[in-house]
């Protein structure tokens, strides 16, 4: 997420708690004032001193509470993430991996888990199931949370998965519609690994080969757990291979396709990489044969014809030169 969006999300999160503590502080001040008035304390309640102390104190409490609540929310997710990574290392994006996501799709985690499950289905090439899974997510809630908290991650991922499912299913109009609907959130999270990967895929389908390759090369996959980064790199290399192939850069297409095959985490990605490698090899061979035929034709055209040797002329009296000194008989 861009820095300004991160700061906005942080400010919104703290402001919620600050508002709560300000309300509690006002209630506490009112209660103290009432008690002092009832018992006629000798030291009157001074509102001018209470207000600044209340604002500063409530802000400090809001910041502390925000980070503590974040830690408590992240702890269960970290445990779940470790379980998912262990399954991935053993089985890849298997049904067990997806079932674990479904088992935890409740409460605040419902939408993120459903989106991740749909993404896993996309990596397996099961676009119909991915679309049905994504339809179970509450888009209204996703967008409301994004606007209220300033954290656009879930909204951006939702539109990413929707675009990916449409692109893999060869639904260009659906992908364009998803891009148009989610452009605000995608742009705010444009430096995210997943967003960049889907953008490169979208550029590939749009015929923007050079842009797609540049985008794919910028992806660092730093947000993925370490065991999953190889799969992300495989996906990026497959995108590059397809664009190299379209640009008739067959050697580079073969190299990227081989890298995609080495790190592919699903049979779907591996099959696509093998197909791209085969096509690149065939087209490379055809191009080399065409060049060789052209060069042979050009050599035939420019070849210097053999010059026949000059015929020998028989010697005659006329052709034999006379000696300069003539001999006379005496």
């Amino acid at each position: 997420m861009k820095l300004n969006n991160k700061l906005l999300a942080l400010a919104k999160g703290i402001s919620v708690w600050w508002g709560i503590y300000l309300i509690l502080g006002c209630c506490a001040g009112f209660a103290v004032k009432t008690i002092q008035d009832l018992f006629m304390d000798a030291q009157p309640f001074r509102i001018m001193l209470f207000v600044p102390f209340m604002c500063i104190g409530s802000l400090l409490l809001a910041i502390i509470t925000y980070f503590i609540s974040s830690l408590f929310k992240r702890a269960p997710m970290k445990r779940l993430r470790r379980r998912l990574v262990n399954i991935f290392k053993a089985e890849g994006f298997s049904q067990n991996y997806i079932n674990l996501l479904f088992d935890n799709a409740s409460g605040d985690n419902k939408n993120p888990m459903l989106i991740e499950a749909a993404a896993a289905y996309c990596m397996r090439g099961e676009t119909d199931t991915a679309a049905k899974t994504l339809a179970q997510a509450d888009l209204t809630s996703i967008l409301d949370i994004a606007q209220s908290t300033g954290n656009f991650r879930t909204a951006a991922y939702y539109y990413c998965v929707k675009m990916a499912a449409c692109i893999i299913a060869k639904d260009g109009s659906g992908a364009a519609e998803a891009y148009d609907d989610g452009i605000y959130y995608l742009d705010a999270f444009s430096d995210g690994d997943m967003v960049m990967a889907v953008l490169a895929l979208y550029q590939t389908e749009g015929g923007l080969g050079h842009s797609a390759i540049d985008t794919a090369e910028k992806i660092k996959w730093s947000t993925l757990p370490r065991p999953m980064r190889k799969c992300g790199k495989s996906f990026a290399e497959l995108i590059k291979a397809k664009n190299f192939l379209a640009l008739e850069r067959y050697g580079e297409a073969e190299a990227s396709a081989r890298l995609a095959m080495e790190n592919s985490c699903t049979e779907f990605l591996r099959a696509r990489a093998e197909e791209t490698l085969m096509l690149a090899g065939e087209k490379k061979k055809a191009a080399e044969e065409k060049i060789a035929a052209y060069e042979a034709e050009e050599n035939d055209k420019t070849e210097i014809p053999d010059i026949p040797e000059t015929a020998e002329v028989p010697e005659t009296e006329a052709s034999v030169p006379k000696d300069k000194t003539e001999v006379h008989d005496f």
Side-chain angles (χ1 to χ4, degrees), residues 253-302:
E254 286 182 320
S256 292
R258 287 193 180 93
L259 289 174
M261 288 173 58
E262 290 175 4
N263 299 320
S264 58
C265 52
T266 65
E267 288 300 323
F268 172 73
L269 291 180
R270 183 174 181 82
R272 288 296 182 89
E274 289 177 348
E275 177 187 353
T276 305
L277 179 61
M278 182 183 67
L279 287 174
E282 291 176 353
K283 289 186 176 294
K284 181 181 179 181
K285 183 178 179 181
E288 290 174 348
E289 290 176 351
K290 185 177 180 180
I291 292 172
Y294 175 79
E295 289 178 348
E297 183 180 351
E298 289 297 314
N299 288 335
D300 291 341
K301 291 180 180 179
T302 58

Side-chain angles (χ1 to χ4, degrees), residues 23 27 43 69 85 109 140 147 156 182 210 241 274 283:
I23 294 172
C27 293
Q43 295 180 350
S69 63
V85 169
N109 292 331
T140 302
Q147 293 297 328
H210 294 289
E274 289 177 348
K283 289 186 176 294

Side-chain angles (χ1 to χ4, degrees), residues 77-89 92-93 97 101 113 116 123 153 157 193-194 219-234 263 265:
M77 282 301 298
K78 286 185 177 180
R79 290 195 294 270
L80 174 60
R81 188 58 58 189
R82 282 195 293 268
R83 293 176 61 190
L84 289 169
V85 169
N86 289 334
I87 294 175
F88 178 84
K89 287 192 293 186
F93 288 119
Y97 182 95
L101 292 172
M113 295 296 101
E116 186 169 347
M123 298 295 280
R153 181 189 298 271
Y157 283 1
D193 295 337
M194 185 173 176
I219 305 173
K220 304 300 182 184
W221 299 111
S222 57
T223 58
L224 287 180
R226 191 173 297 276
M228 293 185 178
R229 292 178 188 176
K230 289 184 177 180
C231 184
K233 292 177 181 178
S234 172
N263 299 320
C265 52

Side-chain angles (χ1 to χ4, degrees), residues 88-310:
F88 178 84
K89 287 192 293 186
E91 306 173 8
F93 288 119
S94 65
Q95 195 59 46
N96 288 332
Y97 182 95
I98 296 174
N99 288 340
L100 183 57
L101 292 172
F102 282 132
D103 292 341
N104 290 272
S106 60
D108 293 340
N109 292 331
K110 177 184 176 180
N111 292 323
M113 295 296 101
L114 290 174
I115 292 171
E116 186 169 347
Y121 279 125
C122 286
M123 298 295 280
R124 289 156 52 120
E126 302 173 20
T127 54
D128 291 339
T129 310
K132 292 177 182 177
T133 302
L134 201 61
Q136 299 177 38
D138 186 355
L139 180 58
T140 302
S141 173
I142 292 172
L143 299 183
D144 286 345
I145 292 174
Q147 293 297 328
S148 60
T149 64
N151 188 348
F152 299 153
R153 181 189 298 271
T154 304
Y157 283 1
Y158 173 87
Y159 286 109
C160 275
V161 176
K162 190 172 183 179
M163 286 175 62
C166 291
I167 293 170
I168 296 172
K170 303 300 181 182
D171 181 9
S173 60
E177 182 180 355
Y179 179 79
D180 292 338
D181 292 341
I183 184 62
Y184 176 69
Y185 306 100
L186 295 171
D187 182 64
F189 212 71
S190 60
D191 57 347
D193 295 337
M194 185 173 176
V195 176
M196 293 177 69
V198 175
L199 177 59
L201 188 64
Y202 188 61
Q203 292 170 334
T204 300
E205 294 302 312
L208 303 175
H210 294 289
S211 298
I213 293 170
D214 290 341
T215 303
E217 289 179 343
K218 292 177 183 178
I219 305 173
K220 304 300 182 184
W221 299 111
S222 57
T223 58
L224 287 180
R226 191 173 297 276
M228 293 185 178
R229 292 178 188 176
K230 289 184 177 180
C231 184
K233 292 177 181 178
S234 172
F235 186 73
E237 290 295 336
L238 180 56
I239 292 174
K240 289 167 61 177
K242 285 187 170 294
N243 284 283
F244 283 137
L245 181 61
L247 294 171
E248 300 182 357
R249 295 160 62 176
Y250 303 124
E252 293 167 287
E254 286 182 320
S256 292
R258 287 193 180 93
L259 289 174
M261 288 173 58
E262 290 175 4
N263 299 320
S264 58
C265 52
T266 65
E267 288 300 323
F268 172 73
L269 291 180
R270 183 174 181 82
R272 288 296 182 89
E274 289 177 348
E275 177 187 353
T276 305
L277 179 61
M278 182 183 67
L279 287 174
E282 291 176 353
K283 289 186 176 294
K284 181 181 179 181
K285 183 178 179 181
E288 290 174 348
E289 290 176 351
K290 185 177 180 180
I291 292 172
Y294 175 79
E295 289 178 348
E297 183 180 351
E298 289 297 314
N299 288 335
D300 291 341
K301 291 180 180 179
T302 58
E303 187 176 355
I304 301 174
D306 295 334
I307 300 175
E309 293 181 0
T310 305

